[in-house]
Amino acid sequence: MPKQNPQDKNNELLLRNKLAKLISQYAPADGLFEVCPGVRVLRESSQDAKPARNISQPGMCIVAQGAKRVVLGNDIFEYDNSRMVVYSTEVPISANIIRASIDEPYLCLIIDITPQKLAELTAKAFPHGLPRVPESRAIHIGPTNPKIVDAGIRLLELFSEPDDVDLLIPLLLDEIFIRLLRSHIGALVAQIGITDSNLQKVSKGISWVREHYAQPMKVDQLAAYVNMSVSAFHQHFKAVTSMSPLQFQKELRLHEAKNLMLSKMMDVSSASLQVGYASVSQFSREYSRLFGVSPSKDTRSA
């Protein structure tokens, strides 16, 4: 691997510092702030004592400062200002900030990715067709591209020029996505926008499960729904999500039950029934296995 030029290293440091300063302006306190539709900034001033569980959304994260760890199934991903991440579909993840402080908070620029926009730009980025790629994944980590960081800086700077915002934002977002597509993970990211790709078929299956998670699920019918054989669907679903379709459904059910109990004050029995469990004892066992605490204890400590 070629040694990095000291001047290039210094330029990258200057870019990261400039991005951090801009994110701090739009995120003056801890939390997630929308800069414009599809563009958000996140600030966190402390490390998480324990991971938070949520559902990922297709998009890219450019970290200016701090670091984060994400767990998907048995896979662990870490990213910081030297590594950017792309989420290609909706999956249940466990995530926590692993480097942050009041003096140096975790600062991140988040840009949503829509399949339609990526499909439009993929044809331009790969005019001779996409190269063959290995199995698609829900999460891709790659070295932070300084040119993408620079485009992110120019994107945030635009909001101090209100007369030009509406005209130039789409152009800058296109630049960011094209540079992402031309990066070494570009062919993998492009699968998000390809209608007949295995990733798109799995994403279609994921959307169905998310909408009908409380209903009984037959994997053969779900495979037919996305136009795949049962064996191929199993293989690609697990490659993308690190889980089988049934494991995925179970995690969604448990996430939703937790939300019902903590935000809507629903009791354990009612929540388990609402998300599709026929047995409260089975629900309690699986909830404890996933979250490390029983549902009744979890609601009491909230």
Side-chain angles (χ1 to χ4, degrees), residues 44-58:
E44 294 293 345
S45 298
S46 62
Q47 299 179 35
D48 295 320
K50 59 181 181 178
R53 292 186 174 269
N54 48 54
I55 304 294
S56 68
Q57 299 295 323

Side-chain angles (χ1 to χ4, degrees), residues 219-237:
V219 176
D220 58 339
Q221 293 179 356
L222 188 55
Y225 172 68
V226 301
N227 197 29
M228 297 180 83
S229 69
V230 174
S231 60
F233 182 63
H234 259 290
Q235 175 190 339
H236 293 294
F237 195 99

Side-chain angles (χ1 to χ4, degrees), residues 28-89:
D30 284 357
L32 187 64
F33 299 83
E34 184 178 77
V35 181
C36 71
V39 179
R40 289 159 290 153
V41 291
L42 175 65
R43 178 191 188 114
E44 294 293 345
S45 298
S46 62
Q47 299 179 35
D48 295 320
K50 59 181 181 178
R53 292 186 174 269
N54 48 54
I55 304 294
S56 68
Q57 299 295 323
M60 63 185 298
C61 301
I62 306 168
V63 177
Q65 193 169 268
K68 189 171 186 175
R69 177 183 295 129
V70 173
V71 179
L72 172 62
N74 295 321
D75 297 327
I76 299 174
F77 305 87
E78 292 186 359
Y79 53 97
D80 53 20
N81 60 15
S82 68
R83 289 165 290 184
M84 62 184 186
V85 64
V86 175
Y87 293 93
S88 60
T89 190

Side-chain angles (χ1 to χ4, degrees), residues 1-54:
M1 189 174 180
K3 195 171 182 179
Q4 189 178 30
N5 184 299
Q7 184 61 44
D8 290 342
K9 191 172 182 179
N10 186 56
N11 288 341
E12 288 182 20
L13 180 61
L14 290 173
L15 286 172
R16 291 168 187 165
N17 290 341
K18 192 169 185 179
L19 181 62
K21 186 177 291 186
L22 284 164
I23 293 173
S24 294
Q25 290 176 15
Y26 291 102
D30 284 357
L32 187 64
F33 299 83
E34 184 178 77
V35 181
C36 71
V39 179
R40 289 159 290 153
V41 291
L42 175 65
R43 178 191 188 114
E44 294 293 345
S45 298
S46 62
Q47 299 179 35
D48 295 320
K50 59 181 181 178
R53 292 186 174 269
N54 48 54

